[in-house]
mmCIF file of all heavy atoms in Angstrom:
data_model
loop_
_atom_site.group_PDB
_atom_site.id
_atom_site.type_symbol
_atom_site.label_atom_id
_atom_site.label_comp_id
_atom_site.label_asym_id
_atom_site.label_seq_id
_atom_site.Cartn_x
_atom_site.Cartn_y
_atom_site.Cartn_z
ATOM 1 N N ASP A 1739 11.911 -4.059 -21.761
ATOM 2 C CA ASP A 1739 12.836 -4.699 -22.715
ATOM 3 C C ASP A 1739 13.737 -3.668 -23.393
ATOM 4 O O ASP A 1739 14.749 -4.027 -23.997
ATOM 5 C CB ASP A 1739 12.052 -5.420 -23.826
ATOM 6 C CG ASP A 1739 11.163 -6.524 -23.264
ATOM 7 O OD1 ASP A 1739 11.552 -7.103 -22.230
ATOM 8 O OD2 ASP A 1739 10.107 -6.793 -23.854
ATOM 9 N N LEU A 1740 13.340 -2.396 -23.341
ATOM 10 C CA LEU A 1740 14.117 -1.360 -24.021
ATOM 11 C C LEU A 1740 15.178 -0.808 -23.078
ATOM 12 O O LEU A 1740 15.060 -0.917 -21.865
ATOM 13 C CB LEU A 1740 13.203 -0.217 -24.469
ATOM 14 C CG LEU A 1740 12.004 -0.595 -25.354
ATOM 15 C CD1 LEU A 1740 11.190 0.646 -25.672
ATOM 16 C CD2 LEU A 1740 12.466 -1.264 -26.639
ATOM 17 N N GLU A 1741 16.191 -0.191 -23.682
ATOM 18 C CA GLU A 1741 17.249 0.363 -22.832
ATOM 19 C C GLU A 1741 17.222 1.871 -22.749
ATOM 20 O O GLU A 1741 18.189 2.491 -22.320
ATOM 21 C CB GLU A 1741 18.606 -0.136 -23.323
ATOM 22 C CG GLU A 1741 18.890 -1.541 -22.801
ATOM 23 C CD GLU A 1741 20.084 -2.170 -23.474
ATOM 24 O OE1 GLU A 1741 21.052 -1.439 -23.728
ATOM 25 O OE2 GLU A 1741 20.016 -3.379 -23.742
ATOM 26 N N ILE A 1742 16.114 2.464 -23.161
ATOM 27 C CA ILE A 1742 16.055 3.926 -23.075
ATOM 28 C C ILE A 1742 15.723 4.352 -21.643
ATOM 29 O O ILE A 1742 15.162 3.592 -20.877
ATOM 30 C CB ILE A 1742 15.029 4.541 -24.053
ATOM 31 C CG1 ILE A 1742 13.619 3.996 -23.788
ATOM 32 C CG2 ILE A 1742 15.443 4.321 -25.482
ATOM 33 C CD1 ILE A 1742 12.524 4.884 -24.303
ATOM 34 N N THR A 1743 16.104 5.589 -21.329
ATOM 35 C CA THR A 1743 15.849 6.137 -19.995
ATOM 36 C C THR A 1743 14.945 7.373 -20.143
ATOM 37 O O THR A 1743 14.771 7.874 -21.261
ATOM 38 C CB THR A 1743 17.167 6.591 -19.344
ATOM 39 O OG1 THR A 1743 17.688 7.684 -20.140
ATOM 40 C CG2 THR A 1743 18.189 5.474 -19.292
ATOM 41 N N PRO A 1744 14.396 7.859 -19.030
ATOM 42 C CA PRO A 1744 13.589 9.087 -19.114
ATOM 43 C C PRO A 1744 14.362 10.255 -19.741
ATOM 44 O O PRO A 1744 13.777 11.124 -20.375
ATOM 45 C CB PRO A 1744 13.248 9.374 -17.656
ATOM 46 C CG PRO A 1744 13.218 8.024 -17.015
ATOM 47 C CD PRO A 1744 14.330 7.258 -17.688
ATOM 48 N N LYS A 1745 15.694 10.250 -19.587
ATOM 49 C CA LYS A 1745 16.488 11.351 -20.171
ATOM 50 C C LYS A 1745 16.446 11.332 -21.701
ATOM 51 O O LYS A 1745 16.547 12.379 -22.338
ATOM 52 C CB LYS A 1745 17.934 11.278 -19.680
ATOM 53 C CG LYS A 1745 18.023 11.737 -18.232
ATOM 54 C CD LYS A 1745 19.436 11.989 -17.765
ATOM 55 C CE LYS A 1745 19.370 12.605 -16.369
ATOM 56 N NZ LYS A 1745 20.601 12.469 -15.617
ATOM 57 N N HIS A 1746 16.322 10.149 -22.281
ATOM 58 C CA HIS A 1746 16.174 10.056 -23.741
ATOM 59 C C HIS A 1746 14.932 10.807 -24.195
ATOM 60 O O HIS A 1746 14.973 11.622 -25.117
ATOM 61 C CB HIS A 1746 16.028 8.589 -24.181
ATOM 62 C CG HIS A 1746 17.304 7.808 -24.208
ATOM 63 N ND1 HIS A 1746 17.845 7.239 -23.089
ATOM 64 C CD2 HIS A 1746 18.137 7.485 -25.231
ATOM 65 C CE1 HIS A 1746 18.961 6.605 -23.415
ATOM 66 N NE2 HIS A 1746 19.169 6.733 -24.713
ATOM 67 N N ILE A 1747 13.809 10.506 -23.533
ATOM 68 C CA ILE A 1747 12.530 11.128 -23.905
ATOM 69 C C ILE A 1747 12.600 12.643 -23.674
ATOM 70 O O ILE A 1747 12.214 13.438 -24.525
ATOM 71 C CB ILE A 1747 11.365 10.522 -23.073
ATOM 72 C CG1 ILE A 1747 11.183 9.039 -23.419
ATOM 73 C CG2 ILE A 1747 10.060 11.292 -23.265
ATOM 74 C CD1 ILE A 1747 10.661 8.759 -24.814
ATOM 75 N N ALA A 1748 13.158 13.020 -22.516
ATOM 76 C CA ALA A 1748 13.229 14.438 -22.179
ATOM 77 C C ALA A 1748 14.042 15.210 -23.227
ATOM 78 O O ALA A 1748 13.656 16.294 -23.654
ATOM 79 C CB ALA A 1748 13.838 14.613 -20.791
ATOM 80 N N GLU A 1749 15.150 14.636 -23.648
ATOM 81 C CA GLU A 1749 16.005 15.330 -24.627
ATOM 82 C C GLU A 1749 15.274 15.507 -25.960
ATOM 83 O O GLU A 1749 15.309 16.566 -26.568
ATOM 84 C CB GLU A 1749 17.312 14.545 -24.834
ATOM 85 C CG GLU A 1749 18.330 15.321 -25.653
ATOM 86 C CD GLU A 1749 19.704 14.650 -25.662
ATOM 87 O OE1 GLU A 1749 20.371 14.626 -24.611
ATOM 88 O OE2 GLU A 1749 20.099 14.152 -26.735
ATOM 89 N N LEU A 1750 14.573 14.453 -26.382
ATOM 90 C CA LEU A 1750 13.833 14.527 -27.639
ATOM 91 C C LEU A 1750 12.728 15.582 -27.573
ATOM 92 O O LEU A 1750 12.571 16.396 -28.491
ATOM 93 C CB LEU A 1750 13.234 13.152 -27.974
ATOM 94 C CG LEU A 1750 12.510 13.045 -29.311
ATOM 95 C CD1 LEU A 1750 13.486 13.236 -30.468
ATOM 96 C CD2 LEU A 1750 11.795 11.706 -29.446
#
Side-chain angles (χ1 to χ4, degrees):
D1739 299 329
L1740 305 179
E1741 279 169 38
I1742 59 158
T1743 65
K1745 286 193 173 160
H1746 282 82
I1747 295 291
E1749 189 170 291
L1750 184 65

